Amino acid sequence: MRLLLCLLLLLPALASADPASYAEREDVRAFVAEMHERNGFDNDELLHLFAQAQSLPVVIKEIQPPAEPGIRSWQLYRSRFVEPRRIRAGAKFWQANKASLARAEAQYGVPREIIVGILGVETIYGKHNGHFQTFSALATLAFDYPPRAALFRGELEALLLLAREEKRAVLDYRGSYAGAIGMPQFLPSSIRQWAVDFDGDGSIDLSSPADAIGSVARFLAEHGWEKGGLILTPAKADGSRIGELLAEGIKPQRTPEQLAAFGVTANDAPPCPAALIDYVTPEVPTSYRLGYNNFYVITRYNRSTFYATAVYELAETVKAHLTPRP
């Protein structure tokens, strides 16, 4: 009797811990109706998929900004990516994929070291592609994370379209907690728009080094990469107007003469537009560089200037590692 009473008391808690299937929710059913109307998906097939999707609280935990943001530190950030393990892995990846890297550079104009830098920062050349079921991760973010629900409903739609185009089971895709897939961590919409079958096997597989290499190169080229263009150059910044310049953002728009009026100078700066980029580290004087068009293009991959600079520095370090010394 006592055991039965305990079980009865536990029932409400157990029920609340087992949320309704996504297929039973009105917002999901409305999404399914939209997918039928807009893309011709079968309602019952989609509801069957959503009945199999799992709500993943860890996904929401991972994507939420920290309650107390950490102190911005370029030196700390850099140490996570420009470090011996990634440098060695980058050199090994470069050697193993020389032909694909050379072909991507010739076809898209993007230096092979930049491609290597991005793949190293993103996943250490496929070592950390992610293990989450992409459909469940995106469903969780699309329907249980209101701040970015619109974005992730769009990615969920893109995943469904991608699976149909690739004749692949939707539930087979695996990736990051945010729904990014493969070695270059493309979201489904980016795969549909930018990814390429660079190894010519008839399908796009972003766990394939060749497809990853070609897809990264195409992404950067389509976002305005200038062959042979500058990326970053060191700069000196003094004066009371530096804050104004930084507030303008990272899109290159100031000539050397205009930058000088703000107290910013750089040795042998070309006449092309640049933006001032700052590198803050606690208890260390802030350093500055000028970012040119190709630096801005890298930030289209990830909006962080720290990210783009880590890609650039890892790229240059791996390249130097492979360059014979005199």
Side-chain angles (χ1 to χ4, degrees):
M1 185 64 149
R2 190 172 182 181
L3 178 60
L4 178 60
L5 180 60
C6 288
L7 289 171
L8 289 172
L9 290 172
L10 279 172
L11 280 176
L14 291 172
S16 63
D18 183 19
S21 163
Y22 278 118
E24 299 172 10
R25 290 174 45 165
E26 290 186 11
D27 53 352
V28 174
R29 287 179 171 268
F31 175 81
V32 167
E34 289 175 17
M35 293 303 97
H36 172 73
E37 181 69 23
R38 189 156 59 235
N39 301 305
F41 285 106
D42 181 89
N43 286 352
D44 290 338
E45 289 180 4
L46 287 188
L47 289 173
H48 180 67
L49 283 173
F50 277 108
Q52 298 174 76
Q54 294 181 320
S55 178
L56 303 174
V58 66
V59 163
I60 295 176
K61 181 180 178 181
E62 289 288 345
I63 207 164
Q64 283 180 325
E68 297 182 5
I71 298 172
R72 190 166 177 249
S73 170
W74 162 239
Q75 288 188 4
L76 179 60
Y77 186 94
R78 183 186 188 279
S79 69
R80 292 168 51 199
F81 298 106
V82 189
E83 46 84 26
R85 180 175 61 151
R86 283 179 210 258
I87 295 166
R88 289 192 300 269
K92 183 178 180 181
F93 180 84
W94 188 319
Q95 296 280 36
N97 297 281
K98 282 182 180 179
S100 293
L101 288 165
R103 185 158 58 92
E105 182 171 338
Q107 182 171 337
Y108 296 107
V110 178
R112 61 201 78 187
E113 63 267 22
I114 295 298
I115 301 169
V116 169
I118 284 179
L119 295 175
V121 169
E122 287 292 340
T123 60
I124 317 183
Y125 311 100
K127 288 183 174 62
H128 300 297
N129 287 356
H131 62 275
F132 292 93
Q133 185 192 69
T134 304
F135 187 75
S136 289
L138 289 176
T140 300
L141 294 169
F143 299 108
D144 293 324
Y145 188 58
R148 301 179 71 183
L151 167 68
F152 288 110
R153 288 189 191 193
E155 292 301 334
L156 194 57
E157 178 178 9
L159 179 67
L160 290 167
L161 291 168
L162 178 66
R164 184 166 71 181
E165 291 159 0
E166 294 188 335
K167 297 179 174 57
R168 182 175 168 185
V170 179
L171 300 181
D172 284 351
Y173 291 87
R174 294 289 187 278
S176 77
Y177 63 84
I181 295 169
M183 199 178 295
Q185 293 289 275
F186 275 18
L187 287 169
S189 61
S190 293
I191 296 175
R192 296 187 68 232
Q193 190 166 8
W194 312 117
V196 293
D197 173 21
F198 209 58
D199 59 15
D201 68 353
S203 65
I204 295 171
D205 177 8
L206 293 183
S207 64
S208 154
D211 287 2
I213 287 166
S215 298
V216 168
R218 184 188 179 199
F219 179 95
L220 295 176
E222 295 284 351
H223 282 79
W225 187 273
E226 295 175 354
K227 184 177 180 179
L230 285 175
I231 300 175
L232 283 168
T233 190
K236 293 181 180 179
D238 297 301
S240 59
R241 300 186 65 191
I242 299 304
E244 293 178 48
L245 202 54
L246 292 171
E248 291 182 356
I250 61 174
K251 190 168 185 178
Q253 55 186 327
R254 293 286 186 176
T255 65
E257 293 77 14
Q258 291 172 328
L259 290 165
F262 283 85
V264 176
T265 58
N267 292 332
D268 301 320
C272 52
L276 183 66
I277 312 298
D278 65 330
Y279 298 90
V280 176
T281 297
E283 301 180 7
V284 173
T286 297
S287 60
Y288 298 92
R289 301 185 198 186
L290 295 183
Y292 296 94
N293 175 74
N294 285 347
F295 180 78
Y296 182 72
V297 170
I298 298 173
T299 67
R300 299 310 86 197
Y301 205 102
N302 182 307
R303 299 307 196 248
S304 164
T305 59
F306 280 9
Y307 170 92
T309 308
V311 164
Y312 172 74
E313 294 204 0
L314 178 61
E316 291 297 310
T317 305
V318 172
K319 182 180 179 180
H321 186 81
L322 290 171
T323 301
R325 294 174 183 169

